[in-house]
């Protein structure tokens, strides 16, 4: 069972989803269908429509108010349970929290701040503050070679150890090579730019306060995690953070450098639904409720201000950001594929299932990502979710 504070958050979040997403969508569709019917009837139906609209609005209002009350009652029940200190989060509750944070929009997460996630170093599931004494205790055998792992969308740091029977645990591989693996957890529903700034600040403190001088820093990012790393690196260079000097290599596992085809489809579909009919518009609005983090995957957005004055939910807004590869660093672009041949139709169309080959290779229609850096493209025979435990990736490390 999750800790009490998380139970409070779940109660508010579930009530908020039922209120705003479920009932709100049904109410909007009801209104659209009703308006269409009475528009066909014409002026004779207007008095009836006024009465019906007033009644239905009161009914929906009562239902939604009841859901909000139910959410607060759930909070009261959670407060009566055992105190937080006797119960720690379980891997399942951590995963559920990561999924919720990664999927729903900021407005719903704001209803349940207990479920929000700040970027932080994690060891055995517990947060590690990047202070000298805490780091010494957490990493008594700290090496001068540090490898930081950054997970992808709706995941936690536990993904690096999932299903060891089906592959290898990359942090264990790193430890066996005499380096120190460091795991990071963050809320993937936040904008990639915001997570990048947080990662840059954490890495700055980590390198500064590490028990021994860091001579070699390697970053490994899976999917969205690779974009967060690029955002953090760009932020660090712009603001003169010292940790970049120790950075030697970045490994990107199935990172959509120029965007995800799946998010482009979702954006296009919701845009069409909102415009093709008033009856389908509520479904489009429902799809637009996905998180900012997911929307940033459309073109691999790395900054908060990358959309300019355009609405983020307009058709294919945003473009591949003109952020070059970090200089004086070797970039390893691991490209997963569904079949061993790049010419196979499945690999050509879908890449590793979620990220196409060109995007994982940093190649856009208008050219490749540039920069004064060494870039190695590494094809791996594994689908997107399996890259975190692929033996070929272990060989690369």
């Amino acid at each position: 069972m999750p800790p009490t504070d998380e139970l409070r958050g779940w109660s508010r979040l579930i009530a908020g989803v039922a209120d705003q997403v479920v009932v709100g969508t049904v109410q909007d569709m009801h209104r659209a269908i009703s308006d269409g019917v009475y528009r066909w009837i014409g002026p004779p139906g207007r008095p009836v429509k006024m009465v019906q609209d007033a009644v239905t609005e009161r009914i929906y209002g009562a239902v939604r108010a009841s859901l909000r009350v139910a959410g607060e009652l759930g909070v009261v029940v959670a407060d009566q349970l055992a105190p937080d200190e006797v119960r720690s989060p379980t891997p399942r509750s951590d995963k559920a929290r990561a999924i919720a944070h990664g999927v729903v929009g900021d407005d719903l997460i704001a209803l349940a701040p207990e479920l929000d996630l700040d970027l932080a170093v994690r060891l055995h599931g517990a947060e590690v503050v990047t202070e000298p004494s805490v780091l010494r205790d957490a990493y008594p055998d700290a090496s001068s070679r540090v490898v930081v792992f950054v997970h992808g969308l709706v995941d936690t740091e536990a993904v690096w150890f999932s299903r060891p029977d089906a592959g290898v645990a990359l942090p264990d591989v790193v430890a066996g090579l005499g380096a120190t693996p460091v795991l990071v957890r963050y809320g993937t529903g936040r904008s990639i730019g915001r997570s990048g700034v947080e990662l840059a600040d954490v890495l700055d403190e980590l390198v500064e306060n590490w028990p021994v001088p860091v001579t070699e820093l390697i970053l490994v990012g899976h999917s969205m995690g690779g974009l967060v790393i690029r955002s953090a690196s760009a932020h660090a260079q712009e603001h003169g953070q010292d940790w970049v000097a120790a950075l030697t290599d970045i490994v990107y596992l199935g990172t959509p450098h120029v965007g995800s085809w799946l998010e482009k489809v979702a954006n296009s579909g919701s845009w069409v639904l909102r415009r093709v009919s008033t009856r389908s518009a509520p479904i489009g609005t429902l799809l637009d409720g996905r998180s900012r983090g997911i929307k940033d995957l459309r073109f691999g957005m790395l900054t908060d201000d990358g959309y300019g004055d355009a609405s983020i939910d307009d058709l294919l807004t945003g473009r591949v950001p003109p952020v070059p590869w970090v200089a004086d660093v070797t970039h390893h672009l691991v490209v997963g594929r569904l079949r061993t041949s790049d010419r196979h139709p499945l690999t050509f169309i879908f890449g590793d299932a979620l990220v196409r080959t060109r995007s994982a290779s940093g190649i856009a229609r208008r050219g490749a990502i540039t920069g004064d850096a060494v870039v190695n493209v590494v094809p791996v025979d594994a689908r997107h979710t399996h890259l975190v435990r692929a033996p070929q990736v272990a060989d690369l490390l």
Side-chain angles (χ1 to χ4, degrees):
M1 181 181 294
T4 304
D5 63 335
E6 287 192 21
L7 289 176
R8 297 190 199 103
W10 280 115
S11 179
R12 291 192 173 108
L13 180 62
I14 293 172
V17 169
D19 171 21
Q20 299 183 24
V21 178
V22 180
V23 179
T25 301
V26 172
Q27 182 179 7
D28 291 342
M29 292 186 69
H30 186 168
R31 185 184 300 114
I33 294 171
S34 175
D35 289 348
V37 171
Y38 284 105
R39 192 179 302 112
W40 179 79
I41 294 174
R46 288 175 183 171
V48 179
K49 183 179 185 301
M50 291 177 61
V51 174
Q52 177 179 302
D53 287 349
V55 172
T56 55
E57 289 296 318
R58 287 193 181 96
I59 292 174
Y60 280 114
V63 172
R64 299 181 70 169
S66 299
L67 290 171
R68 291 191 291 269
V69 170
E72 292 306 315
L73 286 176
V75 173
V76 173
V77 172
D79 288 338
Q80 303 304 314
L81 299 177
D84 292 357
E85 59 266 22
V86 301
R87 191 168 59 248
S88 299
T90 65
R92 287 186 178 181
S93 67
D94 282 343
K95 179 63 175 179
R97 183 179 178 183
I99 292 174
H101 193 288
V103 172
V104 303
D106 292 342
D107 55 340
L108 287 173
I109 285 295
L111 297 176
E114 299 89 348
L115 299 181
D116 203 357
L117 286 167
D118 291 324
L119 189 144
V121 173
R122 297 271 176 167
L123 182 63
H124 306 306
E127 181 178 347
V128 178
V129 180
T130 49
E131 296 177 354
S133 60
V134 177
L135 290 173
R136 282 195 301 269
D137 293 339
Y139 302 97
D141 300 320
S143 167
S144 61
R145 302 170 67 204
V146 180
V147 184
V148 178
F149 290 85
V150 186
H151 61 77
L153 180 68
V154 301
D155 269 325
T156 71
E157 74 284 357
V159 71
W160 303 104
F161 299 98
S162 63
R163 294 187 60 192
D165 58 312
V168 294
L170 299 181
D172 289 345
V173 172
V174 165
L177 296 170
T180 303
V182 174
L183 310 180
V184 166
R185 183 193 300 180
Y186 65 104
T188 58
R190 290 179 174 176
S191 70
I192 290 173
R194 177 178 174 182
S195 295
V197 171
E198 292 182 357
L199 177 61
D201 292 341
V202 167
L203 290 176
D204 204 37
E205 295 174 357
L206 181 77
V207 170
E208 180 181 359
N209 298 328
W210 194 246
V212 298
V214 177
T215 60
E216 187 175 352
L217 176 64
I218 299 171
L219 306 180
V220 181
H222 177 232
S223 194
M224 177 188 282
L227 295 177
V228 173
I229 288 173
R230 286 187 60 205
S231 176
S233 303
H235 176 82
Q237 285 193 319
E238 181 180 352
H239 292 82
Q241 292 182 331
D242 295 333
W243 65 267
V244 183
L247 183 61
T248 60
D249 296 79
I250 303 177
V251 181
Y252 307 93
L253 308 180
T255 295
H257 294 288
V258 299
S260 165
W261 67 268
L262 193 57
E263 163 54 21
K264 292 183 178 74
V265 169
N267 169 251
S268 301
S270 65
W271 185 86
V272 170
L273 286 169
R274 283 188 284 110
R275 281 160 176 74
V276 70
S277 167
T278 56
R279 299 183 183 185
S280 64
I283 303 300
T285 301
L286 175 65
L287 290 176
D288 284 337
R290 63 196 182 280
S291 71
R292 169 64 187 269
I294 291 178
K295 294 174 182 179
D296 279 350
L297 294 176
R298 190 179 309 156
F299 290 105
M301 190 59 64
L302 302 180
T303 60
D304 275 343
D305 58 358
Y307 298 93
D309 296 330
S311 170
I312 192 174
D313 293 321
D314 281 347
L315 181 61
L316 298 178
T317 49
R319 286 294 179 264
V320 177
V323 178
W325 302 116
V326 179
D328 302 321
V329 172
T330 302
H331 300 263
H332 309 271
L333 280 57
V334 175
V335 180
R337 49 191 182 184
L338 291 174
R339 296 294 185 269
T340 55
S341 172
D342 290 334
R343 297 182 178 180
H344 192 283
L346 287 178
T347 299
F348 179 77
I349 297 173
F350 299 109
D352 65 9
L354 296 181
V355 178
R356 301 186 69 183
T357 300
R358 289 174 62 88
S359 185
S361 303
I363 302 174
R365 289 183 178 181
R366 298 182 180 180
I369 298 173
T370 61
D372 185 16
V374 177
V375 180
N376 299 321
V377 177
V378 185
V380 172
D381 298 328
R383 61 183 59 191
H384 190 77
T385 55
H386 294 180
L387 290 172
V388 294
R389 54 178 180 271
Q392 290 171 279
V393 176
D395 293 340
L396 173 63
L397 291 179

